């Protein structure tokens, strides 16, 4: 069910939510968190769809604040829409399209709609504040999610995040690494248990996930990590492959085919592994599984990225 409330107020939205709950039986008691999505007018649906799908694992209230990309002289106005039932997955969606001066007070728009005693997560699918933890929405959230891949300069966005990182910040560029990190950790957990003496990570020039993977390996293995962006000429985005050098030979995990990676190890047959590119739904659902700070991500983005161009000191 979709209920439109043009030229509305937050008070009217609250009252309508109560009425829908009383008449239709839609309840907020089973909601485990409030997800706030901050986006731009006309760009809401992709984020809402991802949230609806993720809500089947994490029932929640979704509040979408949609504003104009540019400063406007529009009269202050709030057009609201409430979606419940089949139009909202296992959540309830409150879409707030704010115009004029109304759009300048994001915290005021959401405060009266937050679920009581429930964690708050904020997600910026596109542009985000320079320091998300100090923004109006970031200050009221336990977790703050950005997506460097959607920024004009994805790699610089990761570097900037390292400078402004606060516990609770995370980025989908890190979430997209989960399967890569799991596969590499599984490989190194098998004999022979030799130290890695060299690492090369290849990927598209605009891939922030490639930067984070290299930074993670730099911290975990304490070896110099070389980058290779030449493979990006094929047009493939994201991470392309990882080479780990040990005395017994080279381990190579390369994704040259969509969703499939080839694992090559000394003295073993070649294996094809499932390594799909993760959807927005998968990334969002994973980040909502933990509402505490991701200390490993914090260490990687603050320290690992900075160390990528620094030689390893000999002991």
């Amino acid at each position: 069910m979709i209920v439109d409330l043009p030229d509305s107020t937050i008070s009217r939205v609250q009252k309508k939510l109560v009425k829908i709950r009383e008449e239709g039986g839609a309840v907020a008691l089973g909601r485990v968190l409030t997800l706030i999505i901050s986006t731009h007018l006309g760009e809401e649906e992709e984020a809402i769809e991802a949230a609806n799908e993720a809500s089947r694992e994490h029932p929640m209230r979704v509040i979408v604040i949609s504003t104009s990309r540019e400063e406007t002289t529009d009269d202050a106005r709030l057009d609201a829409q409430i979606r419940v039932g089949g139009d909202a997955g296992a959540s309830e969606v409150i879409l707030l399209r704010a115009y004029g001066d109304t759009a300048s007070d994001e915290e005021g728009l959401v405060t009266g709609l937050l679920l009581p005693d429930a964690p708050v997560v904020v997600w910026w699918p596109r542009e985000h504040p320079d320091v998300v933890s100090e923004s109006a929405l970031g200050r009221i959230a336990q977790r703050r999610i950005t997506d460097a891949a959607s920024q004009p300069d994805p790699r610089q966005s990761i570097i900037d995040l390292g400078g402004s990182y606060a516990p609770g910040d995370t980025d989908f560029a890190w979430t997209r690494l989960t399967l890569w990190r799991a596969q590499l950790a599984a490989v190194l957990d098998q004999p022979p248990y030799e130290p890695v003496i060299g690492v090369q990570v290849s990927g598209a020039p605009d891939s922030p996930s490639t930067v984070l993977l290299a930074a993670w390996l730099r911290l975990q293995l304490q070896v110099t990590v070389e980058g290779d962006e030449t493979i990006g000429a094929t047009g493939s985005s994201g991470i392309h492959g990882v080479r780990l050098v040990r005395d017994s030979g080279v381990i190579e995990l390369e994704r040259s085919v969509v969703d499939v990676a080839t694992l090559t190890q000394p003295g073993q047959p070649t294996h094809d592994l499932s390594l799909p590119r993760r959807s927005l739904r998968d990334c969002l659902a994973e980040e909502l599984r933990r509402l505490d700070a991701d200390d490993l991500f914090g260490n990687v983005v603050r320290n690992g990225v900075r160390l990528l161009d620094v030689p390893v000191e000999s002991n």
Side-chain angles (χ1 to χ4, degrees):
M1 178 174 66
I2 298 178
V3 178
D4 288 310
L5 299 170
D7 198 6
S8 188
T9 64
I10 296 300
S11 177
R12 286 182 59 195
V13 174
Q14 290 173 314
K15 291 177 181 178
K16 191 63 178 180
L17 278 171
V18 172
K19 185 176 181 181
I20 291 173
R21 193 175 303 127
E22 291 175 347
E23 294 179 351
V27 298
L29 298 179
R31 312 304 188 207
V32 298
L33 59 91
T34 300
L35 174 65
I36 302 172
I37 302 174
S38 179
T39 186
H40 297 296
L41 293 169
E43 299 179 358
E44 310 94 347
E45 293 305 324
E46 183 180 20
I48 292 175
E49 181 180 356
N52 286 347
E53 293 177 0
S55 72
R56 304 186 189 283
E57 182 178 339
H58 310 279
M60 56 189 164
R61 171 172 289 179
V62 180
I63 303 173
V64 184
I65 301 179
S66 182
T67 58
S68 174
R69 283 180 176 269
E70 302 175 355
E71 293 185 8
T72 66
T73 57
D74 293 342
D75 293 336
R77 188 175 89 251
L78 178 67
D79 292 341
Q81 185 181 85
I82 299 173
R83 304 181 187 182
V84 295
D87 295 295
S91 64
E92 51 190 3
V93 177
I94 304 166
L95 175 56
L96 306 175
R97 294 187 175 98
Y99 302 86
D101 291 341
T102 303
S104 64
D105 185 15
E106 292 182 317
E107 183 177 356
L109 287 173
V110 303
T111 299
L113 299 173
L114 301 177
L115 293 175
D117 303 319
V120 177
V121 179
V122 180
W123 172 29
W124 291 270
R126 301 291 182 185
E127 289 86 352
H128 57 77
D130 291 337
V131 183
V132 293
S133 61
E134 297 178 5
S135 65
L137 295 178
R139 287 193 296 266
I140 63 175
Q142 283 74 39
R143 295 298 305 277
R144 297 166 292 273
I145 304 172
T146 54
D147 191 353
S150 68
Q151 305 309 306
D153 188 340
R155 291 197 171 203
Q156 186 61 45
S157 179
I158 284 295
I159 295 172
D160 293 342
L161 182 57
S164 65
Y165 174 83
D169 293 351
T170 192
D171 193 279
F172 280 164
W174 175 249
T175 322
R176 295 184 181 102
L177 291 182
T178 299
L179 300 179
W180 281 92
R181 292 194 295 123
Q183 292 287 4
L184 292 170
V187 168
L188 294 177
D189 199 32
Q190 302 173 13
Y193 302 106
E194 299 174 335
V196 175
I197 58 176
V199 177
Q200 184 181 70
V201 178
S202 60
D206 62 348
S207 168
S209 293
T210 303
V211 175
L212 290 178
L213 181 58
W216 174 69
L217 290 169
R218 174 69 166 82
L219 282 176
Q220 298 299 108
L221 301 177
Q222 290 297 299
V223 295
T224 300
V225 178
E226 298 179 0
D228 182 1
E229 300 177 3
T230 58
I231 306 180
T234 63
S236 175
S237 62
I239 303 167
H240 298 148
V242 178
R243 298 178 78 248
L244 306 176
V245 181
R246 298 194 292 196
D247 288 337
S248 59
V250 176
I251 300 170
E252 187 165 9
L253 183 64
E254 181 180 0
R255 183 168 61 186
S256 56
V257 179
V258 176
D259 296 343
V260 177
T262 301
L263 175 63
T264 305
Q265 302 179 81
Q268 297 190 32
T270 299
H271 296 284
D272 288 334
L273 306 173
S274 176
L275 200 63
R277 299 186 185 277
R278 309 196 73 192
S279 65
L280 274 182
R281 182 267 177 210
D282 292 336
C283 291
L284 182 60
E286 178 177 326
E287 287 300 338
L288 295 180
R289 290 183 195 127
R290 61 177 304 164
L291 298 175
D292 58 330
D294 188 339
D295 294 333
L296 178 57
F297 170 69
N299 190 25
V300 169
V301 76
R302 284 184 299 154
N303 302 316
V305 173
R306 178 174 54 84
L307 291 174
L308 285 180
D309 296 325
V310 179
V312 177
E313 295 182 1
S314 58
N315 295 324

